[in-house]
Amino acid sequence: MKKNLFLLILLTAIPFWSNAQQNNQQDTEKKEIKTGWNMGALPAISFDSDLGFQYGAVVNFFNYGDGSNYPNYNHSLYFEVSHYTKGSGTYRFYYDSEALIPGIELTTDLSYLPDQAYDFYGFNGYEAVYNKDWTDDTSPDYRTRMFYKFHQKLFRFKTDIQGDWGDSNFRWLVGFNLLNFNISSVDVDKLNKGKKESDKLPPVSEQPGLYEKYQQWGIISAKEANGGFVPIVKAGLVYDTRDNKPNPMHGIWAEAELATAQKFMGAESSFTKLSITQRQYFTIVKNDLSFAYRIQWQQTIGGHAPFYYQPQIIASALRGSSSSGLGGAKTLRGILRNRIVGDGFVMGNTELRWKFARMEKFKQHFYWGLNGFLDFGRVVKKMDIQNKISNMNEPMNQYFNFGAEKMHYSVGGGLRLAMNQNFIAALDYGIALDKQDGDSGIYIGLNYLF
């Protein structure tokens, strides 16, 4: 069971409610601007019975210059360092600026993301059967809590450059992304350290998980099983009329991106993916209530993408340390992380966003926000599984339900606390509407989803 103490950071601000109500009767958008440097920070403290104790911090520096562009910033420097005592962690630096080079928006991400228990549920959505009892140590059908996990270390370096296209709202986009995946079976011995005998995980040799079985059955090749290097070069077109990046009240943010990895660049295999995303924002009540949606289609249009790259979501700007799915904090909230993986997918998110209170504290501008959402997605181009299966000595219907894929849905709500409109602490709770997608999820971090 995971107990995340981020929630305490949000709850400590509740006593400000009375002041916020009073301030909300005044002009709902303060005209006072911010200048110079400003900082927001959150601790990262949690506990997972398998991964151990997590400690660390998130710090975001914003530079507003002379304030002439406020609430837009000139520079954003984001640092995240968190570590679990048994090896998982997030070590990330992210930089975003439209002032470093006049007329150019530059974003750079440098991350190291070791994950002792990275989620793996198979391919093609509902065609891969999920059996919760196999991971429930109170069930008579229990196998191992790590059945749907493997060990992944991901190094990522990502840079995107956008430039104006004349006097229009269109922008050209070029970028590159270097990813190195190091994959292996879960290190059960490491996770078992300090546990009493009844809580220990069984050895992988005695109780293999889905990752090991997919190798035995020929679905994951020996060439791909341990990961590899993926150098991505991409180009695209962006259309952006948002009035505010972190939480727009109106405008459109759309993009089309073509991303390719080729063997001559050092990739293990050559492939090309196309991603098209439409995001739009509508004001319902001026300054206070808006409706937003995101629709994304992404598909391999040439070559063969290795299985470890398939969960990656192509985007011009990262809203968090993770850029994978479908399922989880940044794609379909409430659905198991990486539950829906295929050679092509479509995904949608709809949100109603309400800024219900404002306040002035510590010489900073704050607002509280609530949001309700509906998320959905499915595989639209399947990975070839059926023709690869061999040496399978277990009932196939325990693992596969070919032809079952359909739309996956989740619903939920969230709470936001924003400082100076840019540093936004976020809490979301999502519920999966089909038990094959899990039960629910709580996500605590930064920013709106899109």
Side-chain angles (χ1 to χ4, degrees):
M1 177 196 247
K2 189 173 183 178
K3 300 177 181 177
N4 201 313
L5 302 184
F6 260 135
L7 184 57
L8 295 178
I9 305 301
L10 297 176
L11 295 180
T12 54
I14 289 179
F16 296 141
W17 168 249
S18 59
N19 284 352
Q21 274 191 313
Q22 182 178 358
N23 289 340
N24 203 33
Q25 304 302 316
Q26 303 169 5
D27 181 10
T28 55
E29 289 294 336
K30 297 286 291 184
K31 299 302 181 183
E32 183 180 348
I33 62 174
K34 300 298 294 185
T35 61
W37 286 97
N38 184 263
M39 183 192 77
L42 286 175
I45 306 171
S46 70
F47 177 80
D48 185 284
S49 57
D50 289 314
L51 301 181
F53 181 71
Q54 182 199 24
Y55 54 92
V58 172
V59 180
N60 205 164
F61 295 93
F62 298 96
N63 180 274
Y64 296 103
D66 60 8
S68 58
N69 291 325
Y70 181 80
N72 295 324
Y73 49 80
N74 291 346
H75 307 275
S76 171
L77 290 85
Y78 175 91
F79 301 87
E80 181 176 356
V81 177
S82 65
H83 178 76
Y84 282 92
T85 52
K86 295 193 177 180
S88 295
T90 299
Y91 309 91
R92 183 184 182 221
F93 168 70
Y94 183 77
Y95 175 72
D96 178 22
S97 174
E98 293 188 36
L100 184 66
I101 305 173
I104 297 294
E105 179 178 357
L106 173 69
T107 60
T108 294
D109 174 270
L110 178 63
S111 298
Y112 176 56
L113 307 171
D115 195 330
Q116 295 282 344
Y118 188 75
D119 295 292
F120 176 69
Y121 297 95
F123 309 124
N124 303 334
Y126 288 132
E127 291 198 356
V129 175
Y130 166 61
N131 193 323
K132 181 181 178 180
D133 288 340
W134 290 351
T135 62
D136 182 358
D137 55 13
T138 65
S139 169
D141 296 324
Y142 172 68
R143 296 187 178 187
T144 171
R145 293 189 300 276
M146 297 292 122
F147 187 83
Y148 295 107
K149 311 284 187 181
F150 59 68
H151 182 192
Q152 175 175 283
K153 297 177 182 178
L154 172 61
F155 171 83
R156 179 181 67 210
F157 179 58
K158 180 180 187 293
T159 294
D160 287 308
I161 300 172
Q162 296 184 36
D164 295 332
W165 198 314
D167 296 327
S168 69
N169 292 310
F170 284 97
R171 290 186 157 201
W172 52 263
L173 165 70
V174 294
F176 64 90
N177 196 353
L178 307 178
L179 302 104
N180 192 72
F181 298 84
N182 189 322
I183 297 172
S184 61
S185 297
V186 174
D187 188 347
V188 172
D189 292 338
K190 188 170 187 177
L191 298 185
N192 279 340
K193 287 182 179 179
K195 288 183 179 292
K196 58 183 180 182
E197 199 62 34
S198 60
D199 291 335
K200 287 186 176 181
L201 297 160
V204 173
S205 58
E206 295 179 9
Q207 192 54 261
L210 192 64
Y211 165 69
E212 289 78 25
K213 290 181 179 293
Y214 269 38
Q215 293 177 68
Q216 295 169 12
W217 300 336
I219 299 173
I220 295 177
S221 68
K223 180 181 178 182
E224 295 183 5
N226 296 321
F229 178 60
V230 183
I232 296 287
V233 174
K234 66 180 183 178
L237 185 64
V238 178
Y239 180 76
D240 192 350
T241 62
R242 291 173 294 170
D243 60 330
N244 174 247
K245 284 185 179 180
N247 182 19
M249 291 298 293
H250 63 80
I252 294 174
W253 178 23
E255 58 192 50
E257 297 179 71
L258 194 66
T260 186
Q262 299 295 322
K263 286 185 177 180
F264 72 83
M265 298 159 52
E268 303 291 331
S269 60
S270 298
F271 65 89
T272 300
K273 286 181 178 283
L274 176 62
S275 176
I276 298 176
T277 308
Q278 165 80 3
R279 312 169 188 86
Q280 194 164 2
Y281 311 87
F282 302 90
T283 298
I284 298 175
V285 177
K286 185 179 180 180
N287 298 326
D288 291 337
L289 183 64
S290 65
F291 173 76
Y293 74 85
R294 174 178 68 174
I295 300 289
Q296 181 171 3
W297 168 74
Q298 179 177 306
Q299 189 161 308
T300 304
I301 60 173
H304 168 75
F307 90 93
Y308 47 82
Y309 184 81
Q310 293 287 34
Q312 297 297 307
I313 308 297
I314 298 171
S316 62
L318 295 176
R319 305 306 290 265
S321 60
S322 173
S323 181
S324 67
L326 299 180
K330 297 302 178 183
T331 54
L332 309 181
R333 292 156 291 185
I335 292 175
L336 295 164
R337 180 176 65 157
N338 299 338
R339 176 66 179 100
I340 307 152
V341 174
D343 218 21
F345 69 81
V346 63
M347 167 184 67
N349 312 98
T350 61
E351 286 194 357
L352 197 62
R353 301 173 177 177
W354 176 36
K355 301 175 185 175
F356 66 89
R358 289 174 174 77
M359 57 192 175
E360 303 296 313
K361 287 290 179 182
F362 318 117
K363 297 182 180 180
Q364 309 295 334
H365 316 314
F366 293 88
Y367 72 76
W368 283 97
L370 287 173
N371 62 296
F373 59 81
L374 167 68
D375 298 341
F376 56 91
R378 63 162 295 169
V379 170
V380 293
K381 183 182 179 184
K382 298 175 185 177
M383 297 171 63
D384 183 16
I385 301 300
Q386 205 163 356
N387 294 324
K388 292 183 177 179
I389 299 173
S390 62
N391 303 317
M392 187 174 182
N393 57 5
E394 297 182 62
M396 187 171 289
N397 62 3
Q398 289 187 349
Y399 297 91
F400 304 104
N401 185 10
F402 297 113
E405 176 62 342
K406 57 182 180 180
M407 197 66 74
H408 303 244
Y409 294 96
S410 65
V411 296
L415 178 67
R416 300 291 187 272
L417 177 60
M419 182 179 72
N420 300 325
Q421 300 195 50
N422 288 297
F423 185 80
I424 303 174
L427 167 68
D428 280 325
Y429 176 68
I431 301 171
L433 298 187
D434 191 306
K435 293 300 182 183
Q436 275 291 297
D437 288 327
D439 297 317
S440 62
I442 297 177
Y443 312 100
I444 302 173
L446 297 178
N447 301 319
Y448 281 89
L449 188 62
F450 56 94

